[in-house]
Amino acid sequence: MRRLLTDAARTLAPPREDRHGPLPPLMLTLTVVTGLVDAVSYLALGHVFVANMTGNVVFLGFALAGAPGLSVLASVVALVSFLLGALAGGRLGTRFAAHRGHVLRAATAVEAALVAVTVVVTAVTGGPVTTGVRYTLIVCLGLGLGLQNAVARHLKVPDLTTTVLTLTLTGLAADSTPAGGAAPGPGRRILSVLAMLFGALVGAVLVLHGHLALTLGLVLLLLLLVSVVTHRLSDTDADWIRPPS
């Protein structure tokens, strides 16, 4: 238990000498964003995911088989948008390959701009989610989460992918002491799961009570927070800004 708490504390408040510097808490914040966004997409946009592409591919298969309540077009649009966002994230990672802080700052700024479009659209329309609003949100959110996922991959912070938990949960069990493993970083893995759970819970409560624009506004606020904090911390020569070897 002591090791678990110590690892969690180091993730939330990394010591100055930590190889990844402030990235772990920033990535946890983006994990909360993922939970919020997928609550929006699944509950308000017609049972489609814009961040969890594993689930989305499964939904596409269900929709192709004729399962009710699912849309082939929505799943395809989400997949294509995510891939285009990931492509942009890959280009961004290449452009700022030598400085992880600049990568994260630029990515979250672009993602925030995309989410800002969704906030404006939902605030202006105000009423039910029409077809136009639905696909505008799917495209913008899919692009943003694809970008986020690609950048998280570039940053290479262990156990903090921000959008995928399957491997995190597998590692938590397979590498545990009962399984005969060394249980590396259990606190960080648990925090990652809890962060997405928290985002999904808050997002679901807000969406189910008719606060779609507020949910997206919260996503925008978190992205701006990450971008501003990263900007303020990036103008240093600290070890964390350099890509891990």
Side-chain angles (χ1 to χ4, degrees):
M1 178 60 72
R2 179 178 296 180
R3 179 181 179 182
L4 177 65
L5 294 175
T6 300
D7 184 58
R10 287 177 63 89
T11 300
L12 293 171
R16 183 167 298 181
E17 69 274 11
D18 189 278
R19 176 65 185 88
H20 298 288
L23 288 176
L26 294 173
M27 302 299 276
L28 281 174
T29 304
L30 293 181
T31 307
V32 174
V33 164
T34 297
L36 287 165
V37 168
D38 263 345
V40 168
S41 65
Y42 185 82
L43 297 174
L45 305 181
H47 294 177
V48 63
F49 284 126
V50 294
N52 179 8
M53 286 299 112
T54 302
N56 200 50
V57 169
V58 172
F59 283 168
L60 178 58
F62 293 166
L64 288 170
L70 297 172
S71 167
V72 172
L73 180 60
S75 294
V76 169
V77 170
L79 277 166
V80 172
S81 299
F82 185 91
L83 289 172
L84 290 174
L87 176 63
R91 293 294 298 271
L92 201 62
T94 300
R95 180 178 180 183
F96 298 111
H99 199 303
R100 292 197 292 175
H102 290 172
V103 174
L104 183 58
R105 179 184 65 188
T108 49
V110 173
E111 189 176 357
L114 290 165
V115 173
V117 173
T118 70
V119 173
V120 171
V121 169
T122 53
V124 169
T125 55
V129 177
T130 63
T131 300
V133 171
R134 179 189 188 193
Y135 284 100
T136 299
L137 266 59
I138 288 175
V139 169
C140 289
L141 295 176
L143 286 169
L145 271 297
L147 175 68
Q148 178 180 306
N149 201 50
V151 167
R153 186 172 182 269
H154 174 82
L155 295 177
K156 297 180 181 178
V157 182
D159 299 313
L160 292 174
T161 64
T162 79
T163 59
V164 181
L165 289 183
T166 302
L167 291 178
T168 302
L169 288 167
T170 301
L172 192 61
D175 298 337
S176 65
T177 302
R188 175 175 294 183
R189 291 172 174 176
I190 290 173
L191 284 174
S192 182
V193 173
L194 292 177
M196 191 174 293
L197 176 63
F198 177 73
L201 174 61
V202 172
V205 169
L206 291 173
V207 171
L208 291 174
H209 285 81
H211 301 302
L212 179 57
L214 178 60
T215 310
L216 292 169
L218 179 57
V219 171
L220 176 59
L221 180 63
L222 291 175
L223 289 171
L224 290 174
L225 176 65
V226 172
S227 188
V228 170
V229 170
T230 305
H231 173 71
R232 292 179 64 87
L233 297 177
S234 290
D235 295 329
T236 67
D237 193 36
D239 188 49
W240 72 268
I241 68 172
R242 289 180 284 275
S245 54

